[in-house]
Amino acid sequence: MSRWDADVAVIGLGAWGSAALWQLASRGVDTIGFESRRPGHALSSSYGGSRMFRTTCLEHPGLVPLARRSGELWQRLEEEAGRRLFFPHGGLLIGPEEGVVVGGTLRAARTHGIEVRTMGAAELRERFPRHTGVPGHHLAVWEPSAGLLRAEDSVRAATGLARAAGARVRTDTRVSAVEAVPGGVLLRTAEGGTRVRRVVVTAGSWLPALVPGLPLRTLRMPLTWFRPAADDGSFDLERFPVFMRETEEGPVLWGNGREGGYEVKLGLEGYGPGARALDPEDDGERSVRPEDWTDVARMLPGRLPGLEDLPAQVAVSLFTRTPDGQFVLGPLDDDGRIVVAGGCNAHGFKHATGIGEALADLATGRTSEITLGFLSPGRFGRTAATASPMERAL
């Protein structure tokens, strides 16, 4: 009898973990997945109904090949799951020409030959009349390949396909410790120990507790949904697609139109170096506060008129941030028994399928076709981290 309970375990079945489990199981790997609650639960970093997909990765030029591969795999996930997960209605990136959003988008497009189109503020207003108050010197970049992903549906689809391919999934089971043992890894839970040859740790906000020493901080991300004042269809996703809009004040306003029973989703990406670290177990940090929606609401009359004054729904999601704004993805040491992936920095969902494939490659000793060494966890131990352009600007 084998002394191993599985060849590979995946801890945390959010967007990244469920995709890794799907990839591993579809290759015939003896795999077991652990989820502390249920896939797609409301405390996950993958919660929120929708996420933006774009290929023009303004955060780092090395992410573009990963985004392209992820787009291919999102299509495969849709086909195998038999449900629609991606809505390719295009996307808008708005701001000053040399700013973080537009400048980074155009650099990525030029470097990698991505089809985009620029338009001035007047043309933007003509084509997308709900976007008002854009300064005359700002530009909009239209990316046809962008679109909206269904968040929780994607997690459940990947987990379901993994199960169908033979993966064992243990829900409502929290892994409390990950320990290297001779030849493998021991995972401790309340039910006892599980021994595996290798483990992939994608625990989101709980990653710092399982893998101490990684420079990760857990932050709050308020999410708001607003109803249109008039039901004329102008805020439907087809006419009000996913967008990021750099404001004169600094924060980036982002969102998407109505889709699948959800109202207009909006948020602010403007966390700064003073943001405090949080304990994901502190339920008080999940409580909604007035400041979670008032800053967004104050922006709407001059920028997105036509929405009701008060949000229809407010929720709080948590995510992890690294010092340089890039993911942490790779083995912890040379033997590769423990592979980690985290630090989504609030822009990791769109890459989930590609990251899942990369994690499956790492866990099975394959060489990935995409260069991701710049995401190695070891980079923080060798050099001082520097802030990314997005981090410096926000």
Side-chain angles (χ1 to χ4, degrees):
M1 182 177 180
S2 172
R3 64 188 180 115
W4 307 111
D5 297 299
D7 285 332
V8 182
V10 179
I11 303 175
L13 301 182
W16 291 6
S18 63
L21 193 72
W22 165 51
Q23 288 285 326
L24 287 161
S26 66
R27 299 178 187 185
V29 178
D30 181 17
T31 311
I32 183 170
F34 291 87
E35 172 52 57
S36 61
R37 292 172 176 81
R38 297 290 173 126
H41 65 82
L43 301 184
S44 168
S45 298
S46 303
Y47 170 73
S50 61
R51 290 292 190 277
M52 182 181 192
F53 177 86
R54 52 189 163 83
T55 309
T56 52
C57 299
L58 58 95
E59 296 83 4
H60 193 288
L63 291 175
V64 171
L66 179 63
R68 283 176 162 157
R69 178 57 180 159
S70 297
E72 295 170 355
L73 290 170
W74 280 116
Q75 182 177 357
R76 176 181 155 193
L77 180 61
E78 275 192 325
E79 292 171 353
E80 293 188 9
R83 66 175 79 172
R84 193 174 184 191
L85 303 172
F86 178 51
F87 295 77
H89 296 306
L92 287 166
L93 295 307
I94 306 168
E97 185 171 2
E98 299 302 323
V100 173
V101 172
V102 169
T105 297
L106 290 177
R107 283 190 292 274
R110 292 170 187 143
T111 300
H112 294 276
I114 302 169
E115 179 190 356
V116 298
R117 181 177 178 275
T118 60
M119 63 185 85
E123 185 180 355
L124 171 67
R125 177 63 191 274
E126 182 179 352
R127 287 193 59 191
F128 301 96
R130 284 304 179 184
H131 281 280
T132 65
V134 176
H137 65 284
H138 283 202
L139 294 178
V141 180
W142 173 249
E143 182 188 330
S145 57
L148 178 142
L149 291 163
R150 283 182 169 163
E152 294 89 344
D153 284 355
S154 298
V155 171
R156 296 185 185 111
T159 305
L161 287 173
R163 275 196 176 107
R168 289 163 284 161
V169 177
R170 295 179 61 179
T171 59
D172 301 308
T173 303
R174 173 165 298 182
V175 176
S176 58
V178 177
E179 303 173 8
V181 296
V185 186
L186 173 64
L187 312 179
R188 296 193 182 276
T189 69
E191 292 76 24
T194 299
R195 291 178 177 269
V196 296
R197 298 180 189 275
R198 294 190 177 189
V199 63
V200 174
V201 188
T202 50
S205 298
W206 290 268
L207 181 59
L210 280 175
V211 186
L214 293 175
L216 301 175
R217 290 199 298 166
T218 300
L219 305 178
R220 298 172 82 252
M221 175 64 83
L223 308 172
T224 59
W225 290 263
F226 286 80
R227 290 192 185 94
D231 193 10
D232 60 2
S234 62
F235 278 106
D236 290 351
L237 182 64
E238 295 85 351
R239 297 169 64 184
F240 188 71
V242 297
F243 73 92
M244 293 178 67
R245 180 171 166 180
E246 190 172 350
T247 65
E248 307 90 281
E249 298 92 333
V252 173
L253 177 66
W254 54 263
N256 60 258
R258 302 170 94 180
E259 190 283 320
Y262 287 93
E263 299 295 343
V264 179
K265 183 181 180 182
L266 299 169
L268 285 176
E269 187 169 341
Y271 47 86
R276 68 190 185 281
L278 307 176
D279 179 358
E281 294 299 322
D282 184 353
D283 290 338
E285 295 295 351
R286 300 279 184 175
S287 301
V288 173
R289 308 163 186 173
E291 57 266 30
D292 290 335
W293 59 268
T294 51
D295 286 347
V296 174
R298 277 195 291 265
M299 288 188 172
L300 301 185
R303 292 180 174 86
L304 300 174
L307 294 170
E308 294 182 352
D309 296 336
L310 298 177
Q313 180 184 352
V314 183
V316 174
S317 180
L318 300 184
F319 72 99
T320 50
R321 189 179 77 179
T322 60
D324 63 2
Q326 304 305 326
F327 313 144
V328 172
L329 193 159
L332 281 184
D333 46 39
D334 292 339
D335 66 17
R337 280 180 291 171
I338 302 175
V339 177
V340 299
C344 73
N345 291 279
H347 64 91
F349 192 98
K350 60 183 171 293
H351 299 291
T353 49
I355 286 174
E357 182 178 65
L359 291 172
D361 288 340
L362 287 167
T364 55
R366 288 190 187 181
T367 300
S368 175
E369 295 182 2
I370 300 173
T371 301
L372 297 175
F374 67 97
L375 304 176
S376 169
R379 72 187 188 272
F380 295 111
R382 293 191 299 269
T383 58
T386 57
S388 69
M390 177 68 83
E391 290 286 305
R392 285 197 298 269
L394 300 183

